[in-house]
Amino acid sequence: MSRDRAAFSIAIQGGNVAQVNENNQSSPSGLTTTQAPFIESARANGELYIVQPYELYSDENHEAWRRLFARMRNRWERYANEHFLEGISSLSLDPNNVPRLSDVNRFLEPLTHFKAKPVSGYVPAFMFFDCLRNREFPTTITIRRSDQLDYLPEPDVFHDIAGHVPMHTDPAFADALVRFGDCAHTAADIVSGISDRDEQIRRLTSIITAMARFFWFTIEFGLMNSSAGMKVYGSGLLSSFGEIEHCIEAPEVQRFPIQLEWVINQSFEIDHFQPLLFYVEDFDHLFRLVDELESWMKLGKLDNVAPGEPGVNPEDLRSFLER
């Protein structure tokens, strides 16, 4: 199954072209997820924001993209929300080759001023949200193997570009992402005023957990109630061949109108199809929910959310405390 690690904990790939070109000549993997020398070099050098080394993509990489894109088309037409379908059309994605991010941005930026920003690895939580605040989306450049289309140990370029980025062409959705970035700054401001270190960590952990759960049940696995019936807008669903159908058709899936108090206290597991999903009415509704999330944060209503997944790692905590 295609899965993000947990909400905003984006594990992604990248590197330095000049140092890896020679290695790539003897490696047929090209920019295959978990198998790219380019990535190893970038991480060893501490490079996070990088350029997309398009010449390193192998024929097998392009074949993986072609097969992923081809099998999703009919399911998008049937289950995706209209804003996503308009976004796919607006981006003019090549169905046969991994897209160049420069081409994606050429179509994307005039619409919402968002752009895909290639990165070389895991982006700590505050940095990730700060990118959204600046209308930048940290983007994976590697792609899964063509013989493992349903298995993804971490996000890849198909999940990010075909799952996330078409939604970024919609102004209301894009504005909601920017407000998410604002929430991260609000959280950092709040905890910076707490003198007791243990209490600071406790409250920040609870706030980050609430934000992660909200992100998961909206941006990654959100549904929309439309005049055409229940539709998908969450990117984890939009990039999953099996789950995009399952989340709409399966009778055992619970689908509820979103309520903030439910979402921030609801843990989730990432290694199977989701049994519980929430739907919004439109993206103005989503924007208002992010506003409400920030208001609750300021009131202290995110300081004691229910325990459980996702876990918050020390690097995410540091990214808020040392922003």
Side-chain angles (χ1 to χ4, degrees):
M1 279 183 289
S2 172
R3 276 290 168 267
D4 279 69
R5 277 178 25 192
F8 50 72
S9 295
I10 309 296
I12 32 192
Q13 313 284 328
N16 183 292
V17 180
Q19 296 180 356
V20 186
N21 275 337
E22 290 185 3
N23 290 338
N24 191 69
Q25 291 175 3
S26 61
S27 173
S29 63
L31 290 174
T32 304
T33 302
T34 75
Q35 300 176 18
F38 182 85
I39 304 312
E40 297 173 10
S41 177
R43 290 175 172 171
N45 292 331
E47 299 169 359
L48 180 58
Y49 302 115
I50 49 106
V51 296
Q52 181 189 27
Y54 196 81
E55 68 278 7
L56 296 189
Y57 288 111
S58 66
D59 290 342
E60 200 268 348
N61 292 156
H62 292 297
E63 174 65 10
W65 174 274
R66 186 195 67 76
R67 292 177 60 191
L68 286 163
F69 200 92
R71 71 177 192 162
M72 287 303 301
R73 277 182 158 175
N74 288 340
R75 300 214 165 179
W76 285 335
E77 290 293 335
R78 184 169 182 179
Y79 299 114
N81 74 93
E82 61 179 342
H83 307 282
F84 174 84
L85 297 176
E86 292 172 1
I88 283 284
S89 177
S90 297
L91 294 175
S92 298
L93 297 178
D94 185 341
N96 297 312
N97 294 285
V98 176
R100 295 179 184 270
L101 299 192
S102 58
D103 290 339
V104 172
N105 289 336
R106 181 161 53 88
F107 291 107
L108 175 60
E109 286 192 83
L111 298 174
T112 61
H113 305 296
F114 252 87
K115 65 178 179 180
K117 184 174 186 175
V119 292
S120 65
Y122 167 67
V123 181
F126 183 85
M127 296 174 67
F128 175 73
F129 280 118
D130 193 53
C131 281
L132 297 184
R133 190 176 188 236
N134 293 303
R135 295 183 182 266
E136 297 173 330
F137 180 68
T139 302
T140 319
I141 62 167
T142 58
I143 190 165
R144 70 198 79 175
R145 287 169 44 179
S146 63
D147 62 347
Q148 294 183 341
L149 299 186
D150 292 320
Y151 173 73
L152 184 61
E154 52 194 61
D156 74 342
V157 71
F158 185 79
H159 170 80
D160 283 350
I161 295 299
H164 277 282
V165 174
M167 297 305 311
H168 301 170
T169 65
D170 182 82
F173 185 87
D175 287 347
L177 290 182
V178 174
R179 286 293 289 123
F180 237 122
D182 292 338
C183 287
H185 280 260
T186 298
D189 289 342
I190 289 171
V191 299
S192 69
I194 302 173
S195 58
D196 182 278
R197 183 67 171 184
D198 290 340
E199 177 64 8
Q200 184 184 49
I201 295 299
R202 187 197 68 78
R203 287 177 62 181
L204 180 58
T205 299
S206 182
I207 291 170
I208 293 176
T209 299
M211 293 179 67
R213 289 169 175 171
F214 187 97
F215 195 90
W216 180 266
F217 285 112
T218 58
I219 308 305
E220 289 290 350
F221 284 85
L223 301 178
M224 176 179 289
N225 187 27
S226 73
S227 59
M230 198 64 66
K231 297 293 182 181
V232 172
Y233 76 90
S235 301
L237 299 171
L238 289 165
S239 60
S240 173
F241 179 74
E243 193 158 8
I244 192 173
E245 179 180 49
H246 182 266
C247 74
I248 299 296
E249 302 289 357
E252 66 268 24
V253 175
Q254 301 179 73
R255 309 170 191 88
F256 292 106
I258 191 166
Q259 294 189 50
L260 190 56
E261 61 269 31
W262 290 5
V263 169
I264 63 173
N265 289 293
Q266 178 63 52
S267 63
F268 57 84
E269 297 176 345
I270 68 173
D271 58 354
H272 54 75
F273 286 177
Q274 297 300 296
L276 171 64
L277 298 171
F278 299 95
Y279 60 85
V280 299
E281 295 301 322
D282 53 37
F283 293 140
D284 289 332
H285 182 197
L286 178 62
F287 187 94
R288 293 194 300 274
L289 285 165
V290 181
D291 268 346
E292 187 177 13
L293 182 74
E294 185 182 49
S295 295
W296 282 27
M297 188 186 298
K298 292 176 179 178
L299 293 170
K301 297 173 72 172
L302 306 186
D303 291 351
N304 295 285
V305 299
E309 292 296 326
V312 178
N313 66 50
E315 191 172 358
D316 285 333
L317 289 169
R318 282 196 300 271
S319 71
F320 277 81
L321 296 172
E322 303 172 1
R323 54 176 173 161

